[in-house]
Amino acid sequence: MEGEGETSTWNKETVPKVIKIVSTRLSQRDLISLLLVNPCLHRTLISCPSLWLGIDLREMNNTGDRLIAALSLPRYQHVKQINLEFAQDMDDTHLEVLRNECLDSLQGLESLNLNGCQKISDKGIEAITCCCPKLKVFSIYWNVRATDIGVKHLVKNCKHLVDLNLSGCKNLSDKSLQLVADNYQELESLNLTRCVKMTDSGLQQVLVKCSFLRSLNLYALSSFTDEVYKKISLLSLLRFLDLCGAQNLSDEGLSCIAKCRKLLSLNLTWCVRVTDVGVIAIAEGCTSIEFLR
């Protein structure tokens, strides 16, 4: 009897405690697999709300239906992060279903990754962002269907964004930058890689108004001039700056950027006008720099 009592205590108390500790180090996909092992393990995992704050459907098939099904489950009623990077079978209709059927579950969402979801258009952006008033991080890399209208929906519905990735959204123009500058003045990270329709006019608005920027990615954008690069000096908190391919950047412009004293990482690959003079200015002005290419 004594042995049976010890076994019972082990099963009811020790095992659940161990599972709760171990489960925090497992991926979401592993957690879902563990749910199927036995009812006891299922109850233990479900009783830990902190394990179900994220939904990871990266690179998976039938993603739209999977996401709708997941958000209908009680354990995901307080989800804070959703990662759909390069997920398959996700389009505007799925996001509209989420708006109509899963609105409550998305009210606390803080991070949404739609990278590579190329079937999503402005219509889908409107549908999903109207569900997420607390969104802080939004990434929509490599979406050629998104336009300035989509960004207009974003700034209207999500007022607290601090991290925005628009990399590869080739149909966005200065109108999007104006919207970002006017509505996200506490923005900390902005990625505009290959947003080829943007000009000095739009970027200048961001540099003047978004003074809290710590990370700015302008990779593969050769149309900006030295005049707007000089304005980067306004970003006193800047830590990361990618100017790869900035063909119009001169030593004079780089010397102005050297006023960003807190800069830690700078990419100058293919900045063909920069000479030793500009690099020396960076070395003397940005004494905390750790990465320089």
Side-chain angles (χ1 to χ4, degrees), residues 141-180:
Y141 157 78
W142 197 25
N143 185 316
V144 296
R145 300 184 66 188
T147 72
D148 297 327
I149 296 174
V151 175
K152 185 176 181 179
H153 293 314
L154 176 66
V155 302
K156 176 184 177 182
N157 296 324
C158 306
K159 304 294 186 182
H160 308 291
L161 226 61
V162 295
D163 188 327
L164 179 59
N165 184 356
L166 301 174
S167 173
C169 296
K170 297 182 178 181
N171 288 316
L172 300 184
S173 73
D174 286 342
K175 292 181 180 178
S176 288
L177 289 183
Q178 184 68 63
L179 288 166
V180 169

Side-chain angles (χ1 to χ4, degrees), residues 15-241:
V15 171
K17 289 180 181 178
V18 172
I19 289 298
K20 287 182 179 181
I21 294 172
V22 173
S23 60
T24 59
R25 302 185 179 185
L26 299 178
S27 69
Q28 186 190 53
R29 298 180 189 184
D30 289 336
L31 287 174
I32 293 174
S33 297
L34 284 178
L35 289 175
L36 305 175
V37 173
N38 61 53
C40 180
L41 194 54
H42 186 282
R43 287 192 298 271
T44 298
L45 293 172
I46 293 299
S47 69
C48 302
S50 61
L51 296 178
W52 310 105
L53 297 178
I55 297 177
D56 184 1
L57 296 175
R58 286 174 296 171
E59 301 179 1
M60 296 187 71
N61 295 321
N62 198 27
T63 306
D65 292 337
R66 287 175 184 265
L67 181 58
I68 293 169
L71 288 172
S72 68
L73 299 173
R75 65 174 179 264
Y76 290 119
Q77 292 304 298
H78 303 289
V79 65
K80 292 187 179 297
Q81 299 178 347
I82 295 178
N83 190 342
L84 304 175
E85 188 168 58
F86 292 104
Q88 304 299 310
D89 310 310
M90 167 64 72
D91 57 36
D92 291 344
T93 58
H94 295 109
L95 298 182
E96 290 173 335
V97 171
L98 291 178
R99 176 182 59 191
N100 296 331
E101 299 182 6
C102 306
L103 180 63
D104 292 342
S105 299
L106 294 167
Q107 291 297 294
L109 191 69
E110 295 180 357
S111 176
L112 177 60
N113 186 334
L114 296 176
N115 288 348
C117 296
Q118 296 191 17
K119 294 181 181 179
I120 294 175
S121 70
D122 295 333
K123 189 176 181 180
I125 294 174
E126 178 184 20
I128 191 62
T129 57
C130 74
C131 305
C132 315
K134 296 183 180 180
L135 199 65
K136 295 180 180 179
V137 180
F138 184 67
S139 186
I140 193 167
Y141 157 78
W142 197 25
N143 185 316
V144 296
R145 300 184 66 188
T147 72
D148 297 327
I149 296 174
V151 175
K152 185 176 181 179
H153 293 314
L154 176 66
V155 302
K156 176 184 177 182
N157 296 324
C158 306
K159 304 294 186 182
H160 308 291
L161 226 61
V162 295
D163 188 327
L164 179 59
N165 184 356
L166 301 174
S167 173
C169 296
K170 297 182 178 181
N171 288 316
L172 300 184
S173 73
D174 286 342
K175 292 181 180 178
S176 288
L177 289 183
Q178 184 68 63
L179 288 166
V180 169
D182 290 341
N183 292 276
Y184 294 140
Q185 295 183 14
E186 295 186 2
L187 195 67
E188 296 179 5
S189 179
L190 179 62
N191 191 334
L192 301 176
T193 295
R194 299 188 188 278
C195 292
V196 294
K197 290 187 177 182
M198 296 176 177
T199 71
D200 283 12
S201 177
L203 181 58
Q204 179 170 311
Q205 292 299 312
V206 170
L207 298 177
V208 170
K209 296 181 179 180
C210 300
S211 59
F212 288 92
L213 276 173
R214 287 169 168 75
S215 176
L216 180 61
N217 196 326
L218 303 177
Y219 181 95
L221 292 171
S222 59
S223 60
F224 294 133
T225 72
D226 212 34
E227 292 306 307
V228 77
Y229 288 132
K230 293 176 183 178
K231 297 287 185 180
I232 294 176
S233 63
L234 297 173
L235 304 178
S236 61
L237 301 178
L238 196 65
R239 263 74 167 176
F240 173 92
L241 178 61

